[in-house]
Amino acid sequence: MAKVTRDDVARLAGTSTAVVSYVINNGPRPVAPATRERVLAAIKELGYRPDRVAQAMASRRTDLIGLIVPDARQAFFGEMAHAVEQAASERGKMVLVGNSDYVGEREVHYLRAFLGMRVSGLILVSNALNDNAAAEIEAWDARVVLMHARPEAIDDVAVVTDDIGGAQLATRHLLEHGYEYVACLGGVAETPTVGDPVSDHIEGWRRAMREAGRSTEGRVFEAPYNRYDAYKVGLELLAGPDRPPAIFCSTDDQAVGLLRAARELRIDVPGELAVAGFDDIKEAALTDPPLTTIASDRSGMARAAVDLVLDDGVRVAGARRERLKLFPSQLVVRRSCGCG
């Protein structure tokens, strides 16, 4: 059977091939409703399938959005990627996902690969964007939206959570339970000090502690972001002679690992140790006990990032129309903090 072409659709619909193109691509020119219906009916009758590769070559853009995350195995980034995929689908786009594994050169690898594919835009979740990656973005003059973090190396549109405010909420709530102080499970030694969510979580914790007249000296403990390594840190911390009465974890994954360590050491949570996290991953409601945490509007953030990356008005004469979209944080109270 011969391949159905756009010319075949145009003949059956009684229109030009240009009009068929306008219907398929939703523009750039408007099409009368009756004509659009004829074209769509012809497409259905003939079983026509547009050649997306040819369309991409003509427009120098694909129906793809690139998304680079540190590690989709972590629940937070997996949920974020899913939210972006849903938002992109609503706009008729598909998403390519690359995992940087917190490695700068892998980030550059995916930047080059996705931009070389002429994606419609790129959503970048980067904790420490290096100069090579920033230069790659500038070289392609790409439409890029930062999400979750704001690395210093690039000054671009960003969609972020109020990380400092959220950490303050969680720490204040723990202090209101009457604990002498709250320790903080932060990031690793290489965690950036500016524009990184975990650094902002630590800053929010510091502010809440200072407001309450509590010292922060010696009360920040380094821990990897994933639950498995955080569990190992938790075993050492909780088995020590100066076990904190309450701990704010910079991520829910860290909190999950800490709760596992407490359970293994037979430390009652929240009777002997109160715990709060940040992110409100779905699993937070299923931990034992359920985890008090800070929720971010991932669906809203994903939709905003997709809209910004596809909006032709994002770049206007080299300037940015909207540089920062800040989403509020919300305290989600469960039993790990001591609430009934």
Side-chain angles (χ1 to χ4, degrees):
M1 183 180 295
K3 181 180 178 181
V4 178
T5 67
R6 196 167 296 191
D7 288 338
D8 297 326
V9 174
R11 276 194 296 271
L12 182 59
T15 66
S16 67
T17 55
V19 170
V20 174
S21 178
Y22 300 154
V23 171
I24 292 171
N25 297 311
N26 289 315
R29 294 185 180 180
V31 177
T35 304
R36 176 179 291 274
E37 288 303 317
R38 291 205 314 274
V39 171
L40 292 174
I43 288 173
K44 183 176 182 181
E45 181 178 336
L46 295 172
Y48 173 67
R49 296 291 181 269
D51 186 337
R52 296 300 183 188
V53 174
Q55 286 180 311
M57 289 178 66
S59 65
R60 298 182 68 79
R61 282 287 181 266
T62 64
D63 285 335
L64 301 172
I65 293 175
L67 171 65
I68 302 175
V69 297
D71 188 351
R73 293 173 300 179
Q74 291 179 236
F76 175 77
F77 294 119
E79 292 178 18
M80 178 180 285
H82 186 262
V84 169
E85 185 178 16
Q86 285 186 312
S89 179
E90 293 171 4
R91 295 289 302 269
K93 303 293 182 180
M94 294 185 292
V95 178
L96 295 173
V97 181
N99 291 270
S100 69
D101 292 326
Y102 298 98
V103 177
E105 289 313 306
R106 285 185 63 81
E107 202 165 60
V108 172
H109 163 75
Y110 280 115
L111 278 169
R112 288 173 178 162
F114 290 167
L115 294 174
M117 292 176 186
R118 296 291 181 180
V119 293
S120 294
L122 193 67
I123 298 173
L124 179 60
V125 183
S126 175
N127 285 56
L129 191 75
N130 63 32
D131 291 337
N132 289 339
E136 200 70 33
I137 291 170
E138 291 300 321
W140 283 91
D141 191 31
R143 222 179 273 169
V144 177
V145 171
L146 303 173
M147 191 175 177
H148 180 57
R150 290 169 287 171
E152 285 186 285
I154 182 171
D155 183 21
D156 239 298
V157 171
V159 178
V160 298
T161 299
D162 181 6
D163 290 296
I164 292 177
Q168 284 180 284
L169 283 175
T171 307
R172 284 173 187 156
H173 183 75
L174 290 172
L175 289 169
E176 286 168 1
H177 276 276
Y179 301 113
E180 181 184 350
Y181 70 91
V182 177
C184 177
L185 212 59
V188 294
E190 296 79 17
T191 300
T193 57
V194 178
D196 176 72
V198 169
S199 294
D200 284 348
H201 296 171
I202 297 171
E203 176 58 26
W205 166 80
R206 289 187 191 279
R207 292 184 187 184
M209 288 281 283
R210 285 197 297 264
E211 288 170 1
R214 307 296 206 279
S215 171
T216 60
E217 186 175 353
R219 290 174 176 171
V220 179
F221 300 93
E222 291 182 4
Y225 303 124
N226 70 80
R227 64 188 64 183
Y228 309 104
D229 291 325
Y231 154 74
K232 297 175 184 176
V233 172
L235 284 176
E236 184 176 348
L237 174 61
L238 299 181
D242 298 319
R243 185 180 74 217
I247 300 176
F248 164 65
C249 300
S250 294
T251 73
D252 279 356
D253 265 337
Q254 290 174 325
V256 170
L258 184 70
L259 289 174
R260 170 60 187 172
R263 188 179 185 86
E264 191 167 309
L265 294 170
R266 301 184 183 279
I267 296 170
D268 178 60
V269 178
E272 300 174 87
L273 171 71
V275 178
F278 200 114
D279 291 331
D280 195 30
I281 59 176
K282 293 188 182 301
E283 191 178 348
L286 303 177
T287 57
D288 186 18
L291 180 65
T292 291
T293 185
I294 296 296
S296 58
D297 182 6
R298 279 189 287 284
S299 294
M301 291 172 66
R303 191 168 286 107
V306 168
D307 287 346
L308 284 167
V309 87
L310 295 178
D311 186 355
D312 289 333
V314 170
R315 280 193 185 274
V316 180
R320 291 289 181 176
R321 186 188 62 189
E322 185 178 14
R323 305 205 65 79
L324 179 67
K325 196 165 185 65
L326 183 67
F327 281 76
S329 295
Q330 180 181 356
L331 179 67
V332 180
V333 176
R334 299 190 181 101
R335 287 197 296 112
S336 69
C337 62
C339 288

